[in-house]
């Protein structure tokens, strides 16, 4: 069953989504070589609790941490670890909160130092594909329109691997609601998009082949070929004409640009 949100509920969900964005901005401020992903998980859990919310991933189907932190060839659901990040690593940080009963759930991929032009292009293109999918999240369309836009921009245009085993989803009082939102598919197919439908759209795109496997911990998803994978996720509400993006990358991007340890592909401003 699909749950459509009232305008008042959408505002509560915007609050939850923005708390995730703020938490990701806090992460962007402290990322540098030497930091461990377990330290990041602690910071994430504290920041969320300080803001009158709870981390939704903790204990979800037995998941043992407050965030998913996926480094290099880990696609998603990476466990925070007591191991230092290194120059050239890319990390996807995926965070979920429950605030006033409503879920926020989104993710961002950062580059610690320079991972090289091929990986920087993968990061750029995956983010672009997310926005191309969001452009299709309008009333009257279909889930397949979103899926197809993401697949066209990544698999067709760049030959990247589009992960099939994991998909985006509806979001609301539950972390995972109907419908599923794949990152591949055909235009004009799938559930109809109506105003008030809130979706977590989350391309997971591999530099190499699309195949992945889950480690024996039951969670960590890795690329079969061990080439890197990138993950971006936004929370969006379907509207007439133009989707309403509830999460806010601008505060994350500002923190990312201000952190000299993070590579954004943009030249740093020259000191004046
Ligand atoms: N963004 C992921 C998802 O939507 C996060 C789930 S991780 C879990 O599925 F730990 F909560 F399962
Ligand atoms: Co999600």
């Amino acid at each position: 069953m699909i749950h459509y949100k009232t305008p008042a509920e959408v505002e509560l969900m915007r609050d939850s989504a923005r708390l995730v964005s703020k938490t990701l901005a806090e992460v962007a401020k402290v990322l540098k070589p030497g930091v461990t992903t377990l330290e990041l998980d602690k910071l994430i859990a504290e920041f969320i609790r300080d803001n009158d919310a709870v981390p939704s991933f903790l204990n979800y189907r037995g998941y043992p941490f407050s965030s998913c932190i996926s480094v290099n060839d880990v696609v998603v659901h990476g466990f925070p670890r007591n191991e230092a990040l290194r120059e050239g690593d890319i990390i996807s940080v995926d965070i979920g909160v429950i605030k006033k009963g409503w879920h926020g759930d989104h993710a961002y991929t950062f580059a610690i130092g320079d991972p090289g032009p091929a990986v920087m292009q993968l990061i750029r293109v995956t983010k672009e594909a997310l926005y191309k999918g969001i452009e299709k999240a309008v009333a009257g369309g279909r889930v397949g329109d979103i899926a197809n836009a993401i697949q066209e921009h990544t698999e067709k245009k760049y030959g990247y691997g589009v992960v099939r085993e994991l998909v985006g989803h509806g979001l609301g009082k539950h972390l995972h609601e109907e419908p599923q939102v794949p990152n591949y598919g055909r235009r004009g197919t799938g559930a109809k998009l109506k105003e008030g439908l809130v979706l977590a759209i989350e391309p997971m795109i591999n530099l190499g082949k699309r195949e992945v496997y889950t480690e024996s911990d039951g969670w960590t998803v890795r690329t079969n070929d061990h080439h890197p994978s990138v993950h971006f996720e936004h929370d969006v509400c379907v509207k007439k004409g133009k989707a309403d993006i509830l999460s806010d990358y601008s505060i994350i991007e500002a923190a990312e640009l201000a952190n000299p340890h993070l590579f954004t592909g943009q030249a740093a401003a020259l000191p004046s």
Side-chain angles (χ1 to χ4, degrees), residues 116-153:
V119 177
M120 283 315 297
Q121 178 179 276
L122 177 68
I123 292 176
R124 175 177 61 77
V125 169
T126 303
K127 199 197 262 189
E128 284 170 3
L130 171 56
Y131 285 107
K132 290 195 181 283
I134 290 171
E135 275 177 29
K136 304 290 180 192
V138 290
R142 302 263 194 158
V143 166
D145 303 345
I146 300 172
N148 184 260
I150 294 170
Q151 185 179 18
E152 288 281 319
H153 192 63

Side-chain angles (χ1 to χ4, degrees), residues 5-6 20 35 43 52 61 78 86 88 98 107 129 140 149 160 203 247 250 255:
K5 281 76 185 180
T6 66
V20 175
V35 169
L43 175 154
D52 309 313
R61 297 182 182 221
R86 293 185 302 193
I98 308 169
Y160 294 148
S247 31
S250 71

Side-chain angles (χ1 to χ4, degrees), residues 56-58 60-61 63-65 67-68 76-77 94-96 105-107 166-169 175-176 200 202 219 231 233:
S56 59
F57 295 174
L58 186 63
Y60 178 83
R61 297 182 182 221
Y63 186 77
F65 296 95
S67 61
C68 300
V76 286
H77 303 166
D94 190 354
I95 297 174
D105 164 31
H106 73 95
L166 298 133
V167 296
H169 50 93
L175 176 58
H176 294 133
E202 47 179 322
W219 285 99
H231 177 214
E233 179 175 17

Side-chain angles (χ1 to χ4, degrees), residues 11-250:
E11 290 319 307
L12 290 167
M13 290 197 71
R14 192 188 312 281
D15 232 42
S16 302
R18 294 242 162 138
L19 175 55
V20 175
S21 311
K22 282 185 204 161
T23 313
L24 284 167
E26 291 302 305
V27 171
K29 288 178 194 168
V30 302
L31 279 174
K32 61 176 181 182
V35 169
T36 73
T37 51
L38 201 57
E39 288 166 350
L40 297 176
D41 189 68
K42 286 212 176 70
L43 175 154
I44 289 164
E46 273 175 29
F47 189 82
I48 292 168
R49 292 186 195 284
D50 286 348
N51 283 276
D52 309 313
V54 294
S56 59
F57 295 174
L58 186 63
N59 299 322
Y60 178 83
R61 297 182 182 221
Y63 186 77
F65 296 95
S66 298
S67 61
C68 300
I69 306 190
S70 305
V71 179
N72 298 333
D73 67 333
V74 178
V75 179
V76 286
H77 303 166
F79 284 0
R81 301 178 58 181
N82 191 15
E83 198 176 292
L85 289 167
R86 293 185 302 193
E87 184 95 9
D89 282 343
I90 61 165
I91 85 165
S92 142
V93 183
D94 190 354
I95 297 174
V97 304
I98 308 169
K99 190 170 180 179
K100 295 188 181 155
W102 295 94
H103 282 261
D105 164 31
H106 73 95
Y108 197 94
T109 296
F110 301 95
I112 319 272
D114 185 1
V119 177
M120 283 315 297
Q121 178 179 276
L122 177 68
I123 292 176
R124 175 177 61 77
V125 169
T126 303
K127 199 197 262 189
E128 284 170 3
L130 171 56
Y131 285 107
K132 290 195 181 283
I134 290 171
E135 275 177 29
K136 304 290 180 192
V138 290
R142 302 263 194 158
V143 166
D145 303 345
I146 300 172
N148 184 260
I150 294 170
Q151 185 179 18
E152 288 281 319
H153 192 63
T154 52
E155 196 174 88
K156 193 126 183 251
K157 191 153 175 212
Y158 291 90
Y160 294 148
V162 175
V163 174
R164 302 296 202 264
E165 288 83 350
L166 298 133
V167 296
H169 50 93
L171 187 73
K173 283 194 186 276
H174 302 275
L175 176 58
H176 294 133
E177 298 187 356
E178 284 186 51
Q180 295 197 343
V181 184
N183 297 302
Y184 59 94
R186 287 168 47 206
R187 274 193 293 269
T189 65
K192 284 191 180 151
L193 302 174
K194 291 205 281 186
E195 257 197 328
L197 175 61
V198 176
L199 300 172
I201 304 177
E202 47 179 322
M204 291 154 268
I205 309 296
N206 300 345
L207 185 60
K209 295 198 181 306
R210 71 187 191 209
E211 285 79 16
V212 300
Y213 67 98
T214 304
E215 287 190 351
S216 56
D217 62 18
W219 285 99
T220 309
V221 178
R222 263 184 217 275
T223 57
N224 273 9
D225 61 15
H226 297 294
H227 287 301
S229 183
V230 168
H231 177 214
F232 282 96
E233 179 175 17
H234 257 313
D235 301 335
V236 312
C237 183
V238 172
K239 291 271 197 198
K240 291 196 185 98
K242 193 170 192 287
D244 181 6
I245 305 179
L246 305 180
S247 31
D248 182 7
Y249 274 4
S250 71

